Amino acid sequence: MRADLGSIGVTTAFAASLLGCLFLVFGLVRGKPVIVASGHRFVPIVTAGAVLSVVAMQWALLSHDYSLAYVAANNARSTPLLYTIAGMWAALEGSILLWGLILAGLTFAVFTKYRARRSDPLVGWATAVMLGTCTFFFALMVGPANPFTQLALAPANGRGPNPLLANHPLMAIHPPILYLGYVGFTVPFAFAIAAMATGRMGEGWLVETRRWTLIAWGALTVGIGLGAWWSYEVLGWGGYWGWDAVENASLLPWLTGTAYVHSVMVQERRGLLRVWNLSLLCATFCLTILGTFLTRSGVISSVHAFSNSQIGPWILTFFGLCVALTLGLIFWRGDELRSTGTIDSPLSREGAFLANNVVFAAFAFVVLLGTIFPLLVEAWNGDRLSVGAPYFDTLTTPIGLVLLFLMAVAPVLPWRKASGEVLSHRLQWPLVFGVVVTVACVVGGLRGVSTLLALFLGAFASGSALRQLVLATRAARARGDSRLRGILGRANGGMVVHLGVILIAVAIACSQAYSSNTEFVLKAGQTKTFKGHTVQLVGVRTEFIDVARTGGISANPDPQTVVGKIIADVRIDGGRIDRPAITRFAERGQAVPTPSVRTGFIRDLYVTLVQPPAADGGTAVIGFYVQPMIVWLWIGLGLMGIGTLLALFPGRRRRTTSPTSVVDGSHEAIPVPQTAGAAR
């Protein structure tokens, strides 16, 4: 019954998506409003089909219906409730189902928000694009990635989820947030295609999609950060980002999306960079599809990737169609995309955003080349190559430093043109702050040219962002507003995001430059020292946890449901005991590490059990890492999330004495250009 309900839901969503897309395209091309209205009516049916299929899958997981191949492969009776629910996105078919649910939900949200404007061709074409995308993903579920395939003979128990995906709560929340970011860019992409299809190349579609874009970008940011946190807490290698191909697949659309959310402000205000913005937005969507191919086709081996599948050619074909469609429309509308004005000076807000675009594009190219080059070589001659961290670190470090410099200078630049006097006045205190922080770091014993340069630029950029926020709160106080009301809006929220990015950049620079690690071979009771820390192995013990029977330690565990945990009791600096472990899962026959992380504001102490003793009284291998500034990564991630939320709410703009001027994010008067592209 569950399989039948799920199949009905998937098939219904596929058929409704296809019919809705066809009705909309036909009605819009032929100018028949009645047919267009009929096409819109399929959207709730798509959403209902997606919800029904997800309910059926969750019902099957919670009831341990092992007649479904997906449930038998990714669930067991001993699987805890949280990971039973999260099992829906723990493997290929279920992850596509989650993708379809989010995509259908966003399509319904667009359908609801613009219910009064469904006769508008811009909304019609955008809905058609979203339904076309739904058609593709539900076609995968009807065909090669069917999550409701049934087994001829249902087993008594399933294999259970991959242990790496069932030993930390972040795996329950990280994928849905990441997918919301991935799928969320479908909305602005759909409106961009609609703008080119209708020839409405003004700034109206940008206004329609501003919040959709920010939500998608914020979700992708938080999703990537939570993935890095999961990697740090679970995998036991002491790191948070390894330039894995799947990690890069999520970073690529973030880079182009970040360039777009900056660049789009120039088009809204001055009508410039139209081709840049369309190209960046379409590239962001296409890179999400490319990332889907990398993670779900089986072409790469990664702890983050899904197993080999048959959907790779399907996704690659869809990726090619999206690229061809966007390039064709951009070339078709080339004349209409020409801006009415030009950038007056490189020393202007517009000039800084253009430089920002170039740097982010270079960053994305470096990551893309390092990610797909081994695949291209293997496809060409069968050789297996590997592009590791040294390539990425060497090429992205200078790009990161340039971006920090732009973050310091760009917020204080006025539109059109900056004078030397204005720049020196606005940059004076941020520059002093950067110098003071750098001198303090040198006095404190920090060394390394690139790291000190990162610290200087980070402090310089922080001073610039804080200056903007201080001006915002002062202006709010002068108006009688609360301080929170004063920092609402895209410009001020962006400054909070900048502070988060700076914290992350500084934490990365310090953790890479000043981290250290070693491995100790210790017997019980033995102590060794490293970097001023004493590490004592108190002892090693084994616990058997029978989740199915007792949910706790069991003397007589069922061998089918046992979880065996080898725990090392390690005393650090004579204080409390850390307990790194190796957990062996009987159902999967796998052993996974569980590091112990002692977090501090200055440094983390990270302990792993690399190898347990072979016999009683033998030696264990203990990994010990001293990782500076790691907690600031997660604090920076939180600031980026908060800044995104602040940017979603409209800030107050006050007029100056001139009716043709407004106030920019720094609360300093800037003339509004009287051009067709000026912001409304």
Side-chain angles (χ1 to χ4, degrees):
M1 179 181 180
R2 303 167 187 85
D4 293 336
L5 284 177
S7 296
I8 289 170
V10 168
T11 304
T12 300
F14 167 69
S17 300
L18 179 60
L19 290 173
C21 181
L22 292 175
F23 270 62
L24 282 168
V25 171
F26 182 81
L28 290 164
V29 170
R30 294 301 183 92
K32 296 183 179 296
V34 175
I35 298 178
V36 171
S38 299
H40 281 292
R41 294 191 186 101
F42 284 98
V43 173
I45 302 175
V46 175
T47 310
V51 171
L52 178 61
S53 60
V54 169
V55 169
M57 176 57 73
Q58 287 294 344
W59 184 13
L61 287 166
L62 291 169
S63 62
H64 307 299
D65 183 357
Y66 297 125
S67 66
L68 268 67
Y70 184 85
V71 177
N74 299 284
N75 178 262
R77 298 187 187 279
S78 60
T79 304
L81 176 63
L82 178 64
Y83 302 113
T84 295
I85 295 171
M88 193 183 83
W89 48 85
L92 173 69
E93 294 85 357
S95 72
I96 298 293
L97 183 57
L98 176 63
W99 192 293
L101 175 69
I102 296 174
L103 182 57
L106 288 172
T107 306
F108 185 76
V110 169
F111 168 82
T112 303
K113 179 175 175 58
Y114 300 108
R115 57 185 175 274
R117 292 179 46 195
R118 289 175 194 158
S119 59
D120 185 344
L122 183 74
V123 175
W125 279 109
T127 306
V129 172
M130 296 196 70
L131 285 175
T133 308
C134 286
T135 301
F136 169 73
F137 280 97
F138 283 104
L140 290 179
M141 288 181 270
V142 171
N146 184 359
F148 297 101
T149 300
Q150 291 183 277
L151 296 173
L153 182 63
N157 195 10
R159 294 183 64 206
N162 184 330
L164 284 173
L165 307 181
N167 67 341
H168 199 286
L170 280 175
M171 279 313 299
I173 59 175
H174 150 61
I177 295 174
L178 186 67
Y179 287 11
L180 178 60
Y182 267 135
V183 184
F185 277 107
T186 308
V187 179
F189 170 77
F191 274 93
I193 296 296
M196 290 188 283
T198 57
R200 287 158 62 172
M201 306 313 302
E203 283 58 68
W205 69 274
L206 297 175
V207 176
E208 298 291 351
T209 61
R210 186 180 79 82
R211 285 191 176 87
W212 299 102
T213 305
L214 285 175
I215 291 170
W217 182 87
L220 185 59
T221 300
V222 173
I224 292 172
L226 292 179
W229 198 352
W230 170 83
S231 179
Y232 181 69
E233 293 276 351
V234 169
L235 297 183
W237 62 294
Y240 45 83
W241 190 267
W243 295 109
D244 180 279
V246 177
E247 294 173 338
N248 296 346
S250 63
L251 180 63
L252 284 167
W254 186 87
L255 291 170
T256 54
T258 303
Y260 170 74
V261 297
H262 287 84
S263 177
V264 71
M265 290 187 281
V266 179
Q267 184 176 345
E268 288 180 351
R269 190 178 181 95
R270 299 271 329 266
L272 305 176
L273 305 184
R274 289 177 175 176
V275 175
W276 262 109
N277 289 325
L278 283 170
S279 300
L280 287 169
L281 186 52
C282 293
T284 300
F285 176 78
C286 291
L287 286 171
T288 65
I289 303 302
L290 180 63
T292 307
F293 167 75
L294 291 174
T295 55
R296 290 165 177 81
S297 62
V299 297
I300 57 174
S301 297
S302 165
V303 68
H304 305 279
F306 296 97
S307 59
N308 194 17
S309 71
Q310 302 301 313
I311 69 172
W314 291 60
I315 299 176
L316 206 55
T317 300
F318 184 64
F319 169 75
L321 289 174
C322 292
V323 171
L325 174 65
T326 55
L327 290 178
L329 285 172
I330 289 173
F331 280 119
W332 180 40
R333 296 294 187 183
D335 290 339
E336 298 166 66
L337 287 171
R338 289 196 178 94
S339 301
T340 56
T342 60
I343 294 177
D344 299 321
S345 169
L347 285 178
S348 63
R349 188 77 62 91
E350 306 95 302
F353 282 138
L354 179 58
N356 181 79
N357 284 354
V358 173
V359 176
F360 269 110
F363 202 146
F365 176 76
V366 167
V367 175
L368 180 63
L369 180 63
T371 303
I372 68 170
F373 182 72
L375 303 179
L376 297 176
V377 170
E378 185 176 356
W380 179 257
N381 59 19
D383 292 342
R384 285 184 172 271
L385 298 181
S386 141
V387 176
Y391 161 83
F392 293 103
D393 291 341
T394 301
L395 293 182
T396 60
T397 296
I399 295 175
L401 294 175
V402 172
L403 287 173
L404 281 176
F405 174 76
L406 289 174
M407 288 172 63
V409 175
V412 306
L413 287 171
W415 295 95
R416 292 188 174 273
K417 189 175 182 180
S419 66
E421 182 180 355
V422 168
L423 277 181
S424 62
H425 170 70
R426 296 184 182 182
L427 291 175
Q428 177 182 359
W429 289 112
L431 187 60
V432 169
F433 182 63
V435 171
V436 169
V437 168
T438 307
V439 171
C441 290
V442 172
V443 172
L446 300 186
R447 297 293 182 267
V449 174
S450 61
T451 306
L452 288 173
L453 181 58
L455 290 168
F456 164 72
L457 291 173
F460 185 20
S462 297
S464 180
L466 289 170
R467 174 186 178 275
Q468 301 298 94
L469 292 173
V470 168
L471 288 172
T473 53
R474 283 180 179 175
R477 193 160 52 246
R479 294 191 303 265
D481 290 341
S482 66
R483 292 182 180 179
L484 177 60
R485 182 71 179 85
I487 62 171
L488 290 177
R490 179 167 54 182
N492 297 318
M495 292 302 99
V496 176
V497 171
H498 277 199
L499 289 173
V501 172
I502 293 161
L503 281 180
I504 291 173
V506 170
I508 290 173
C510 290
S511 65
Q512 289 184 344
Y514 305 127
S515 65
S516 52
N517 65 86
T518 188
E519 288 186 356
F520 298 123
V521 179
L522 297 172
K523 290 184 178 181
Q526 192 173 0
T527 301
K528 290 190 178 180
T529 61
F530 180 73
K531 297 292 182 180
H533 297 280
T534 61
V535 179
Q536 180 188 32
L537 178 61
V538 178
V540 179
R541 52 198 167 86
T542 301
E543 291 180 354
F544 292 100
I545 303 173
D546 187 350
V547 183
R549 284 186 184 173
T550 67
I553 299 173
S554 174
N556 256 332
D558 182 340
Q560 296 301 315
T561 58
V562 67
V563 173
K565 181 176 281 191
I566 305 172
I567 303 169
D569 292 325
V570 181
R571 193 185 303 278
I572 307 295
D573 297 332
R576 68 177 176 84
I577 291 178
D578 289 74
R579 294 183 173 87
I582 294 176
T583 307
R584 302 186 186 279
F585 293 81
E587 289 149 344
R588 287 272 184 169
Q590 285 180 255
V592 299
T594 304
S596 174
V597 183
R598 188 182 299 188
T599 300
F601 278 102
I602 304 299
R603 66 181 62 85
D604 281 11
L605 301 181
Y606 189 100
V607 189
T608 63
L609 175 57
V610 178
Q611 182 179 322
D616 291 343
T619 58
V621 180
I622 303 296
F624 184 68
Y625 300 75
V626 180
Q627 299 276 50
M629 299 285 289
I630 295 294
V631 72
W632 296 100
L633 288 169
W634 323 133
I635 295 173
L637 176 65
L639 279 178
M640 293 181 73
I642 292 170
T644 303
L645 291 176
L646 293 174
L648 288 172
F649 295 94
R652 173 178 291 189
R653 291 180 177 269
R654 61 176 177 83
R655 287 191 177 274
T656 64
T657 54
S658 169
T660 60
S661 64
V662 297
V663 176
D664 72 346
S666 64
H667 301 274
E668 293 161 325
I670 304 292
V672 176
Q674 300 302 309
T675 67
R680 297 176 179 84

